[in-house]
Amino acid sequence: MNVVQLPPRRKLGKIHVPTVTLAHGGGGKAMKDLIDDVFISAFAGASAPALEDQARFDLAALAVHGDRLAFTTDSFVIDPLEFPGGDIGKLAVCGTVNDLAVGGAKPLYLSCAVIVEEGVSLDMLRRLALSMAKTATDAGVGIVTGDTKVVPRGAADKLFITTTGIGVIPKGRDISVSRAQPGDGVLVNGWLGDHGAAILAARGDLALDADIQSDCAPLHGLIEALLCAAPGTRFIRDATRGGLATVLNEVAEASNVSILIAEDQTPLRPEVCGVCEILGLDPLYLANEGKIVIVVPPDEIPAALAAMRVHPLGEKAALIGHIGDGEAGRVVMKTVFGGSRIVDMLVGEQLPRIC
Amino acid sequence: MNVVQLPPRRKLGKIHVPTVTLAHGGGGKAMKDLIDDVFISAFAGASAPALEDQARFDLAALAVHGDRLAFTTDSFVIDPLEFPGGDIGKLAVCGTVNDLAVGGAKPLYLSCAVIVEEGVSLDMLRRLALSMAKTATDAGVGIVTGDTKVVPRGAADKLFITTTGIGVIPKGRDISVSRAQPGDGVLVNGWLGDHGAAILAARGDLALDADIQSDCAPLHGLIEALLCAAPGTRFIRDATRGGLATVLNEVAEASNVSILIAEDQTPLRPEVCGVCEILGLDPLYLANEGKIVIVVPPDEIPAALAAMRVHPLGEKAALIGHIGDGEAGRVVMKTVFGGSRIVDMLVGEQLPRIC
C-alpha cells in the first residue's frame, strides 16, 4: 500500500492545534484574519494582481490574447484531500486550467471559493492554499478573487473548493465536440486511469499494494504545443469523471459518428489493470486528471503525436483509434482477443468523490 | 411564527419520492440525465446562450458595455434552504449579481456549481433550479455554464451552491472602498437586518413570532439609477455577512477616515429590533441580502436619495451619517439617548450559515 507523505503529526497532548472555528466564517475580524493569513499570503505570489472582492481586468489587455472569452467552473469534493500525486488544491487549479485549455483558451485568471468544516486544522488549510498557489504559478494563471464559508461540524466533510476560470481563445481557433469526421484519428496523451486508481488505493479501505500516483497536472502547455503542430485539431477534452469511455461517447453522439478504438493501442499501466481486475472495474471509465482525448484530421495525426511525445506530459501519447461512419453514437473497442465490444456511457457510479 | 410556504408534502407510504443518488454524480448517463432534467431545462429560459462545459463570448460584444471585465465568486451554504422571502437558489443569483453591481459593473453572465448530498429530493432540486432561473431572468443575466457534484449522505448538508459572475464596468466609472472623503454622506437603501432576522426566525429552534421576510433581491437596477443620478458616487457595498457595521469599518480603514452615523436616522424595523433585543444581538451586524451602503460626495446626496426613493428597492433610502476626519478607521454611532458608542468590526460569530 502506497502511503501518502504527510508532514509529521503533532502530538495532541497539551499542545494546542489551531483549527477553523465558526467565527472564521462570520464576516468579521476573525474571517478577515483567516483570509489574510491563509489565502492572501499564499496567493500573493501566484501572479495575482490583487485578491479583491471583485477582480477587474482591462478588456483591451484581454483582447491581446484573442477574440473570445472562455468561462468555466468546477467544484472539487475529492476524498481524501491529500493523495499520492496531488491534493484537492492542486486538483482544483489543474481541473479548471484544463477545462479552459481543452476549449482552446489561454487560461488567465481563477476565482477560488472554499467551504470549510469547523474543526479543520489551519495547518492543513495553509498547506492546501500553498499547493493551489504553486500550481497556479506553474500554470501561469492568477488566483484573483475568492470567498470563504465555514459550516458547523458535520455539515460538510472537511473541505470543498470551487474554482472558476476565465481565459481567452485565439482568433480562428475552433475546437468543438461536434466537429469529428470519419477518418479522423483519436489520440490520448498517455497512461489512462492513474488518477482513479490512485484515489482508490489512497482511500485505504482496500488493502491494495499499488504504487500508483494521480496524473493530476495542468495541460495548457501540452495543448498549446499540440495546437501549434496540428492546427486543424477538431476536438480536445480532459477525460476526468467517467474516463475515456464517457468522452468518446460524448463525441460520437455530438458529431453523429461512430468510433472504433483498439485495446492493444490504448495505454494502460499493468498496475492500473491489476487494480481494476481485483475490483471488477473497467479502466476505460476510470477518472484521469492529466489526460486528454484528441480528435485530429488524418493528415495531422503524425504531427500531433510527435508534438505531444516531446512534451513531458505527453511522452506516452498514442493513436488509439479512428472516427468511423458506422452507427452514429456507437463506440466500439477491438479487444486483444480479436473480438469487439460496445463501450457504452457509464451507467451508475464507479467511485464517489473522485474529483 | 411565520411559516415558509412549501408545496404540499407527499405522503411517504408506498409512494416513491425520487431523490439524488451517487450515480447522479458519476459523470455518466445518470448525471447527464439529472443535469438535462433539472438544470438545462430550468436555465434554458434564463437568457443563456447555451449551457456548455465552457461558455464563450465575443470580447468585442462585451466591450460594448464598457472597458473593464469584473469577476467575482461566492459560495452559498444557507440553512434552511427555503425561507420567507427566498431560497438558496434566489440568494445565489442575487448575491453574485449584487457583488458585480456594487463595483459598478453591468452583470452579464453567471456560472453555477452545485454540491448535492445523496438523498436530496429531485422535486426540491427542480424548485431551486427554477428559482435560480427566474431570478436570473429578472436580473437580466444568463446562467451559462455549471457543474454538479454528488457526495454521499452525511458528507454535506443537503445543498451548497457556488455562483461566479462576470460583468463589464462602463468607461470612467471608479467605485472603490478607498475613495471616501471627509464630508461625504453615508446612505443606505432601506430597512437593515431583515435577512438575518428572517433566517433566525425560520430556523425554528427559537419560538419567535416574527413576520419578517428576507430582503434578498437583485440590486443592479437600483444601483444603475443611483449612479445615473449621482455619478460621483465613491463607494457601494452590499451589507451581507457582518452587516452595516462591518462595511462601515472596511470603508473607514481602507479610506483612512472616521465615520459618524446617527441611530435615529438608521432604518430598522421594530420587529427586527424586537428579535435582536430578545436574542441579545446588535442589528447593525445582522446580514442583509438586498441592502447597500453608499458613500456619495456632499453635493450629490439629495440626488442619490431621490433616485433611490423612486425605485421599489429603495423607498426607505436614508442618509444615516457622514465621513469625518477623526481617528482613521474609527466608526461611531450617536445613540438615540444622545450618547455615542464605538461600532467595531464583528468579533466572533453571530449566526452561522446565514448566506
Side-chain angles (χ1 to χ4, degrees), chain B:
Chain B
M1 180 76 194
N2 194 26
V3 175
V4 190
Q5 199 64 42
L6 293 174
R9 288 186 65 170
R10 295 192 191 178
K11 281 191 191 127
L12 291 166
K14 293 198 175 170
I15 300 170
H16 175 66
V17 177
T19 60
V20 173
T21 67
L22 287 176
H24 286 123
K29 192 168 168 352
M31 190 172 93
K32 192 173 174 304
D33 291 348
L34 174 78
I35 292 175
D36 286 352
D37 167 24
V38 174
F39 296 106
I40 307 269
S41 68
F43 296 164
S47 65
L51 198 72
E52 305 184 39
D53 200 37
Q54 180 188 98
R56 296 170 188 176
F57 314 102
D58 277 332
L59 281 171
L62 293 175
V64 168
H65 301 288
D67 60 349
R68 284 154 296 160
L69 189 78
F71 180 48
T72 183
T73 193
D74 254 325
S75 290
F76 297 86
V77 298
I78 194 162
D79 170 40
L81 295 177
E82 298 175 293
F83 48 83
D87 56 59
I88 191 171
K90 181 179 180 188
L91 189 65
V93 173
C94 292
T96 294
V97 162
N98 293 347
D99 277 350
L100 289 169
V102 297
K106 177 179 169 60
L108 293 171
Y109 301 108
L110 299 187
S111 67
C112 161
V114 178
I115 298 170
V116 194
E117 184 189 14
E118 178 192 11
V120 161
S121 98
L122 284 176
D123 273 357
M124 188 181 68
L125 213 53
R126 281 193 202 98
R127 215 157 57 227
L128 295 174
L130 286 171
S131 172
M132 290 191 83
K134 183 185 178 306
T135 312
T137 303
D138 291 351
V141 297
I143 301 174
V144 292
T145 189
D147 180 50
T148 309
K149 291 287 178 339
V150 180
V151 296
R153 234 174 267 269
D157 187 11
K158 296 191 271 301
L159 182 74
F160 302 140
I161 300 178
T162 302
T163 49
T164 305
I166 54 180
V168 174
I169 306 173
K171 204 169 173 177
R173 202 175 264 183
D174 180 18
I175 296 172
S176 155
V177 69
S178 57
R179 288 186 66 229
Q181 291 173 27
D184 288 351
V186 178
L187 285 63
V188 296
N189 65 315
W191 302 118
L192 296 172
D194 289 6
H195 179 74
I199 299 306
L200 269 171
R203 290 258 169 101
D205 38 35
L206 303 164
L208 290 172
D209 188 14
D211 185 12
I212 305 170
Q213 302 253 324
S214 164
D215 57 348
C216 178
L219 298 171
H220 61 293
L222 175 80
I223 290 171
E224 274 306 313
L226 166 75
L227 289 173
C228 187
T233 296
R234 318 267 196 207
F235 167 74
I236 312 174
R237 177 73 58 84
D238 45 342
T240 56
R241 268 187 297 181
L244 171 69
T246 301
V247 175
L248 294 180
N249 273 278
E250 284 171 5
V251 187
E253 190 180 315
S255 294
N256 276 310
V257 293
S258 64
I259 300 180
L260 179 66
I261 61 169
E263 186 170 16
D264 60 4
Q265 301 301 313
T266 304
L268 290 165
R269 286 182 206 276
E271 304 93 302
V272 170
C273 293
V275 166
C276 284
E277 253 173 57
I278 293 167
L279 300 174
L281 297 172
D282 183 338
L284 300 188
Y285 295 89
L286 278 192
N288 308 272
E289 291 293 344
K291 294 297 156 11
I292 44 176
V293 181
I294 309 118
V295 177
V296 292
D299 57 324
E300 292 189 351
I301 295 173
L305 278 175
M308 289 200 285
R309 284 177 181 160
V310 297
H311 193 281
L313 296 171
E315 289 170 6
K316 293 285 170 194
L319 173 69
I320 63 166
H322 287 86
I323 304 294
D325 53 8
E327 188 186 338
R330 176 61 55 96
V331 180
V332 175
M333 183 167 80
K334 200 176 156 224
T335 68
V336 285
F337 307 109
S340 68
R341 70 172 173 96
I342 292 172
V343 179
D344 213 339
M345 274 290 259
L346 177 63
V347 177
E349 164 68 9
Q350 275 213 338
L351 185 64
R353 303 185 63 187
I354 190 73
C355 61

Side-chain angles (χ1 to χ4, degrees), chain A residues 71-319:
Chain A
F71 180 49
T72 183
T73 194
D74 254 326
S75 289
F76 297 85
V77 298
I78 193 162
D79 171 40
L81 295 178
E82 297 174 293
F83 48 82
D87 56 59
I88 191 172
K90 181 180 179 186
L91 189 66
V93 172
C94 292
T96 293
V97 162
N98 293 347
D99 278 350
L100 289 169
V102 297
K106 178 180 168 59
L108 293 171
Y109 301 108
L110 299 187
S111 67
C112 161
V114 178
I115 298 171
V116 194
E117 184 189 12
E118 178 193 11
V120 161
S121 96
L122 284 176
D123 273 356
M124 189 182 67
L125 212 53
R126 280 193 203 99
R127 213 155 59 227
L128 296 173
L130 285 171
S131 172
M132 292 192 82
K134 183 185 177 310
T135 312
T137 303
D138 292 350
V141 297
I143 302 174
V144 291
T145 187
D147 180 50
T148 309
K149 291 286 177 345
V150 181
V151 297
R153 231 174 269 266
D157 187 10
K158 295 190 271 302
L159 182 73
F160 302 140
I161 300 180
T162 303
T163 48
T164 306
I166 54 180
V168 173
I169 305 173
K171 204 168 174 178
R173 200 174 266 183
D174 181 18
I175 296 172
S176 155
V177 69
S178 56
R179 289 187 65 230
Q181 291 173 27
D184 289 351
V186 178
L187 285 63
V188 297
N189 63 316
W191 303 117
L192 296 172
D194 289 5
H195 178 74
I199 299 307
L200 269 170
R203 290 262 169 98
D205 38 36
L206 304 162
L208 291 173
D209 188 13
D211 185 14
I212 305 169
Q213 300 254 323
S214 164
D215 58 348
C216 177
L219 297 171
H220 61 294
L222 175 80
I223 291 171
E224 274 305 313
L226 165 75
L227 289 173
C228 186
T233 297
R234 317 266 196 208
F235 167 73
I236 313 174
R237 178 73 57 85
D238 46 341
T240 57
R241 267 188 296 180
L244 171 69
T246 302
V247 175
L248 294 180
N249 273 279
E250 285 172 3
V251 185
E253 190 180 315
S255 293
N256 275 311
V257 293
S258 64
I259 299 179
L260 179 66
I261 62 169
E263 187 172 15
D264 60 2
Q265 301 302 312
T266 304
L268 289 165
R269 286 181 206 277
E271 304 93 302
V272 171
C273 294
V275 167
C276 284
E277 255 173 53
I278 294 168
L279 300 174
L281 296 172
D282 184 338
L284 300 186
Y285 296 90
L286 277 192
N288 307 273
E289 291 293 344
K291 294 299 156 6
I292 45 176
V293 181
I294 309 121
V295 178
V296 292
D299 58 325
E300 292 189 352
I301 294 173
L305 278 176
M308 286 199 286
R309 285 176 181 161
V310 297
H311 193 280
L313 297 171
E315 289 168 8
K316 294 284 168 195
L319 173 69

